[in-house]
Amino acid sequence: MKGYHLGELEELVLLVVGILDQEAYGVSVSEEIKSQTGRKVNISAIHTVLNRLEEKGFVKSHMGGATEERGGRRKRLFSLSANGRAAINEVKMMRNRLYDQLPPLALDFSHG
């Protein structure tokens, strides 16, 4: 790999930011992870990972407009950077290479 070292939660958050496109912010990322995986992740952990991904250059953020429903507060919206897209592609290729090397019996769960 070309230096794209992602933890499991980082990878998951990065993928969800890509899925949500321009609508990715802390709560929407948390809700999408729950919807897609059934996994409930603490919002503080999501914010920590989003900040770390931005420091690594995998996502970029900007402040959205204030809304009444948020009491006039603005959302910090995230999107994938070019490096983030490259990281996702590299991780996917690495995982596929590893899965492709598994012997057929390693994937046969019918025999307990």
Side-chain angles (χ1 to χ4, degrees):
M1 281 177 52
K2 301 175 183 170
Y4 298 121
H5 302 289
L6 294 171
E8 188 257 343
L9 184 57
E10 288 178 318
E11 182 181 348
L12 190 57
V13 169
L14 193 59
L15 287 165
V16 168
V17 168
I19 290 167
L20 294 173
D21 195 28
Q22 300 299 312
E23 299 299 320
Y25 62 99
V27 172
S28 69
V29 170
S30 178
E31 289 173 350
E32 188 68 17
I33 288 172
K34 176 104 165 99
S35 169
Q36 294 275 355
T37 68
R39 180 175 169 182
K40 183 171 175 19
V41 181
N42 181 297
I43 192 66
S44 296
I46 298 291
H47 285 291
T48 298
V49 169
L50 286 167
N51 290 331
R52 190 166 50 239
L53 290 172
E54 188 166 32
E55 287 172 9
K56 290 181 176 186
F58 295 148
V59 299
K60 51 192 174 186
S61 70
H62 70 278
M63 295 305 289
T67 63
E68 280 188 38
E69 70 185 38
R70 292 180 48 82
R73 294 175 299 152
R74 298 167 59 187
K75 292 179 188 174
R76 186 168 169 206
L77 300 168
F78 292 84
S79 60
L80 290 180
S81 67
N83 284 341
R85 290 187 185 283
I88 287 173
N89 287 332
E90 185 67 27
V91 168
K92 181 181 177 186
M93 289 188 322
M94 182 265 309
R95 287 185 185 279
N96 286 342
R97 279 193 306 272
L98 291 170
Y99 282 119
D100 290 346
Q101 295 177 58
L102 282 172
L105 287 178
L107 298 174
D108 181 6
F109 302 109
S110 64
H111 293 88

